[in-house]
Amino acid sequence: MKAVVFEEHGGPDILNYTDILNSEPKSFEFLIEVKAAGANFNDIWARRGMPGMKVVFPHVAGSDVAGVVRAIGSEVGGTGFGSSPVRVGDEVVVHPGISCRTCDMCTSGQEFFCRQFLIWGFQTGPNDGGHSELVTMPAVNVLPKPANLTFEEAASMPLVLETAWRMLVTRARIQAGENVLIWGGVGGLGVMAIQICRMFGANPIPVVGGAAKVAKAQELGATDVIDRTSEDVAGRVREITRKVGADIVFEHSGQDTWPTSMAALRWGGRLVVCGASTGFEAVTDLRFLWNKQQNLLGSHLASKAELAAALRAVEAGHIKPVIDHVFPLRDVSKAQQLMEDLKVQGKLVYVP
Ligand SMILES: [Zn+2]
């Protein structure tokens, strides 16, 4: 089978579209023919290397796939142990949180706290990510594909959808009427965050770079869009919120934007963070944190149940996929270059 493989850290040129051994499902797994795979910044972190994280080589990246079940392991099916409503021939998507499924955390629906938790296609391996023609996946991680989406649309959603959903719905407990500052407003996470805000009756305030991205954010229903290339972000938030500040700040940028995020956050507000693409050494002035009684919330992926809830919102039409471009799988390096140059609105998708 074809896959995009790398065996060391480096730039996009180390990605090799090549033949690897076919995946075989273990007893508790499905074999899925990949019809489309999503691109995420995790793919780039794995390729570049990330301090403190071990990448297993040879590595096939990719944490989002949509496809068709081609085979099932011996323990999957029926009504007993390992039972799953999914059958051979079904169209599916995957929840990329891999965990033991037996510990206290897993059985309480908090698999992200499992001591064995890994993001599939990012921290797993060798050779088992989604940028491939076939993948194997524990049956418990497989969900039916929303019927109203194409394979390309479905592959563009789960990781960013469930991450943004947990951040806003579960962690920050978004409420109608709240103002939500969203960094990377038309990136993969941002386009989900804008739509979740609108679904809950909150006001998204996406921050974007340049006129084309302002237009894209407006197209998604945001009325208060901030262009960081020409506007002062904290100043604009004060204007939009009548000097109150944002109720929620949606952070995944980190070091470069953190001081602005804290300045734009209202007294008693919630800042929720799921990543730090510009760097990890963010500075917080603690005087303001205690005086303003602000809340800092970490968030990491989501549970399978949170993905299922978010997919119901997708099937109901509240949240739509936003795809910038579909590439053949052999062009992953070209696509990653576009992502690193911040030239993408929404998501990139690969088709084997
Ligand atoms: Zn566990």
Side-chain angles (χ1 to χ4, degrees):
M1 65 182 192
K2 293 286 188 200
V4 177
V5 186
F6 55 98
E7 304 206 22
E8 58 181 332
H9 294 302
D13 54 307
I14 62 162
L15 299 171
N16 188 15
Y17 178 71
T18 188
D19 286 298
I20 60 172
L21 284 179
N22 271 18
S23 297
E24 294 289 341
K26 296 189 185 76
S27 60
F28 57 92
E29 290 180 330
F30 286 125
L31 177 70
I32 300 169
E33 179 191 350
V34 177
K35 294 290 191 181
N40 289 292
F41 260 97
N42 278 350
D43 312 336
I44 294 171
W45 283 116
R47 194 204 72 215
R48 287 180 186 163
M50 191 165 167
M53 198 192 86
K54 182 174 154 52
V55 171
V56 185
F57 295 122
H59 193 84
V60 174
S63 304
D64 281 320
V65 299
V68 177
V69 174
R70 290 303 180 206
I72 62 175
S74 57
E75 291 177 21
V76 182
T79 54
F81 174 76
S83 66
S84 168
V86 175
R87 295 284 177 263
V88 171
D90 285 0
E91 299 181 352
V92 295
V93 295
V94 306
H95 164 54
I98 303 291
S99 65
C100 82
R101 299 289 170 182
T102 58
C103 73
D104 294 358
M105 291 303 169
C106 284
T107 51
S108 65
Q110 303 180 93
E111 64 251 38
F112 29 73
F113 295 139
C114 177
R115 297 297 298 272
Q116 296 176 44
F117 184 76
L118 296 170
I119 297 181
W120 176 71
F122 179 44
Q123 296 161 309
T124 58
N127 278 354
D128 74 341
H131 298 165
S132 175
E133 289 180 317
L134 290 169
V135 298
T136 54
M137 178 61 60
V140 70
N141 286 75
V142 177
L143 300 91
K145 175 175 82 64
N148 57 336
L149 300 187
T150 65
F151 285 112
E152 289 86 348
E153 289 172 337
S156 77
M157 299 193 84
L159 187 138
V160 285
L161 173 65
E162 68 179 86
T163 299
W165 185 274
R166 178 165 176 78
M167 288 172 76
L168 291 173
V169 181
T170 311
R171 299 291 282 142
R173 298 179 180 275
I174 189 169
Q175 302 288 321
E178 290 192 317
N179 288 299
V180 183
L181 182 67
I182 301 168
W183 290 103
V186 294
L189 283 165
V191 298
M192 292 297 117
I194 289 174
Q195 296 183 85
I196 292 167
C197 286
R198 286 178 47 77
M199 175 183 169
F200 281 84
N203 180 43
I205 308 175
V207 181
V208 301
K213 292 183 177 178
V214 170
K216 186 70 184 181
Q218 287 168 337
E219 194 185 303
L220 291 166
T223 49
D224 294 314
V225 184
I226 301 176
D227 184 348
R228 63 178 163 74
T229 62
S230 60
E231 296 182 294
D232 166 47
V233 174
R236 281 284 287 130
V237 170
R238 271 194 298 279
E239 266 174 44
I240 293 164
T241 62
R242 298 178 188 173
K243 299 186 180 170
V244 172
D247 299 285
I248 299 173
V249 174
F250 182 90
E251 252 286 358
H252 49 103
S253 167
Q255 196 165 318
D256 289 358
T257 56
W258 192 267
T260 307
S261 292
M262 293 302 291
L265 185 63
R266 71 170 291 168
W267 293 50
R270 296 93 82 199
L271 185 157
V272 60
V273 55
C274 75
S277 56
T278 64
F280 308 116
E281 307 280 320
V283 174
T284 304
D285 186 328
L286 296 177
R287 290 170 302 166
F288 296 116
L289 183 67
W290 83 64
N291 270 305
K292 296 183 180 180
Q293 302 190 51
Q294 293 161 322
N295 304 281
L296 303 183
L297 304 169
S299 196
H300 186 51
L301 204 69
S303 68
K304 180 189 180 187
E306 287 170 311
L307 175 58
L311 288 174
R312 285 195 290 277
V314 172
E315 275 202 306
H318 298 299
I319 303 174
K320 294 185 165 56
V322 181
I323 295 178
D324 185 299
H325 197 75
V326 178
F327 287 93
L329 183 60
R330 64 174 68 243
D331 287 344
V332 169
S333 57
K334 197 185 292 179
Q336 288 193 356
Q337 190 65 59
L338 286 177
M339 290 171 72
E340 292 186 278
D341 293 343
L342 303 179
K343 286 182 177 158
V344 180
Q345 298 181 3
K347 297 283 288 182
L348 301 178
V349 176
Y350 308 118
V351 178

